[in-house]
Amino acid sequence: MLVTRYQYNPILTKEDIPYPVSTVHNAGITTYRGEYIMLFRSHKMNGRSILGLARSIDGYHWKAEEQPFMEPAKKGIFAEYEEYGVEDPRITFIDGEYLITYSAYSRHGVRVGLAKTRDWESVERFSLITEADYRNVVIFPDKFNGLYARLDRPHSEISPWSVWISYSPDLRYWGDSKLIMRPVQYHWDEMKIGPGAPPIKTDKGWLNIYHGVYPTMDGSVYRLGVALHDLNDPSKIIGVGDDWILQPEEPYELTGYVHNVVFTCGAVPENDGTLKIYWGASDSVMCVGTAKTEDLVNLCLNNSRSAI
Ligand code: BMA
């Protein structure tokens, strides 16, 4: 088994949140001044999503803040595009700032917003960095030839939903987009794939933990897999692990608001060569597990399927 579940999962549920919510799921993760920070999504009782903040000393025991961290904006351009909610945040630390990318839902579709914080007290919206319809933007924590790079997942009517890469000089204007990874037919990720955790640097390449979806007679099954990108040119994929690394198996993953879902928005590399991988289970609760980074890299190198 590549990912070992924490024995006391789930680690954060709606019962732990001081304000009324019906779920706690799909959280971005980072560290700040010796603490772990979790930016989690919650459905309010009207079914629209907000983002809450929780802190932890060890990555396993969490305490949620008294108030939500980000709710749909009330004015300006962001208000128009966040009307239906803010969802699925990812966090990247680069140049002294934490970048938060999140899905912004509105009557115009789903696009991705970028907000910034330095201290996890205040947050500033920076730009809406995609048009509709996009989700799952993860920004690399390094630049390449002076440019920021991101993976994302546009929606398409005529092609299975796939992973693309784009670049930016300033985080606002993005271009040189290219499709780099597609679902594989009659495979666990055949229906659609999307970036999960912001890429993690290893000595063999950038580790990309992504989600893949398979359609069944009983609905979709969300699993996690891994791909390895070239260290200097992240548009080059060295290998994509043929097998999933995590699938819904525990009761809280098999049943809940949306059954059969494990969905990651973040992982934390530790000094001992392990990763703490965080995932939302059944769009209802938050979970954590550990994996050896080397094992995940080896899956991409030694048991690989084609990227395109
Ligand atoms: C996706 C997104 C995720 C969610 C998943 C399973 O399309 O909406 O936020 O976890 O479906 O419901």
Side-chain angles (χ1 to χ4, degrees):
M1 209 162 51
L2 288 170
V3 180
T4 306
R5 286 176 176 81
Y6 176 54
Q7 61 172 318
Y8 300 114
N9 275 343
I11 50 169
L12 202 71
T13 72
K14 63 181 179 183
E15 278 78 32
D16 303 315
I17 310 306
Y19 44 89
V21 294
S22 63
T23 66
V24 172
H25 65 295
N26 298 4
I29 300 284
T30 190
T31 53
Y32 170 67
R33 294 198 174 166
E35 276 187 335
Y36 293 77
I37 298 275
M38 180 193 283
L39 188 61
F40 58 88
R41 171 179 172 192
S42 286
H43 288 298
K44 295 194 301 179
M45 303 311 184
N46 64 4
R48 295 185 177 175
S49 291
I50 57 174
L51 306 181
L53 192 82
R55 296 172 192 266
S56 168
I57 298 300
D58 60 4
Y60 297 108
H61 301 87
W62 294 86
K63 185 159 179 10
E65 306 263 280
E66 291 298 316
Q67 299 295 330
F69 189 71
M70 278 181 77
E71 298 187 74
K74 302 250 170 4
K75 52 185 194 309
I77 180 112
F78 291 96
E80 182 169 354
Y81 291 102
E82 295 177 9
E83 180 190 8
Y84 293 169
V86 288
E87 307 185 351
D88 298 2
R90 273 78 171 194
I91 303 165
T92 296
F93 183 70
I94 184 165
D95 292 345
E97 293 182 311
Y98 292 89
L99 309 178
I100 302 165
T101 50
Y102 59 94
S103 303
Y105 263 89
S106 74
R107 65 190 67 203
H108 309 302
V110 54
R111 52 193 303 206
V112 175
L114 172 58
K116 298 180 177 187
T117 182
R118 287 178 180 269
D119 57 9
W120 294 103
E121 299 291 336
S122 61
V123 60
E124 206 173 300
R125 282 168 172 81
F126 178 72
S127 183
L128 287 151
I129 56 170
T130 72
E131 54 200 86
D133 277 309
Y134 278 75
R135 294 174 50 91
N136 307 314
V137 170
V138 299
I139 297 177
F140 285 79
D142 274 0
K143 290 186 188 166
F144 304 89
N145 299 321
L147 299 175
Y148 295 95
R150 79 178 196 209
L151 305 177
D152 64 31
R153 211 282 308 284
H155 301 191
S156 168
E157 289 290 321
I158 58 170
S159 164
W161 299 3
S162 304
V163 174
W164 292 61
I165 194 165
S166 305
Y167 302 90
S168 172
D170 57 5
L171 293 172
R172 191 179 297 277
Y173 301 102
W174 295 84
D176 280 344
S177 305
K178 192 177 160 200
L179 186 154
I180 56 172
M181 191 173 146
R182 283 162 54 95
V184 163
Q185 200 172 20
Y186 213 77
H187 190 258
W188 64 268
D189 68 1
E190 85 162 3
M191 186 178 158
K192 56 177 178 171
I193 58 174
I200 292 145
K201 198 174 196 173
T202 77
D203 53 359
K204 303 267 172 50
W206 291 98
L207 187 68
N208 160 15
I209 307 176
Y210 71 99
H211 66 261
V213 185
Y214 190 82
T216 76
M217 294 302 285
D218 185 34
S220 307
V221 181
Y222 277 71
R223 300 184 174 100
L224 302 183
V226 279
L228 196 66
H229 300 233
D230 185 272
L231 275 182
N232 301 314
D233 178 359
S235 73
K236 273 197 207 140
I237 296 192
I238 301 167
V240 182
D242 192 48
D243 305 335
W244 63 72
I245 62 161
L246 190 76
Q247 70 159 351
E249 281 176 15
E250 294 296 324
Y252 46 82
E253 295 163 342
L254 297 169
T255 60
Y257 180 61
V258 182
H259 67 306
N260 285 333
V261 176
V262 292
F263 190 96
T264 189
C265 293
V268 175
E270 303 288 358
N271 290 333
D272 62 357
T274 64
L275 273 180
K276 283 194 179 72
I277 303 175
Y278 292 83
W279 63 90
S282 292
D283 286 5
S284 300
V285 296
M286 274 306 297
C287 298
V288 64
T290 53
K292 284 196 187 122
T293 309
E294 196 185 351
D295 291 348
L296 302 184
V297 168
N298 284 340
L299 182 70
C300 300
L301 294 174
N302 304 331
N303 182 11
S304 189
R305 57 102 156 157
S306 68
I308 295 281

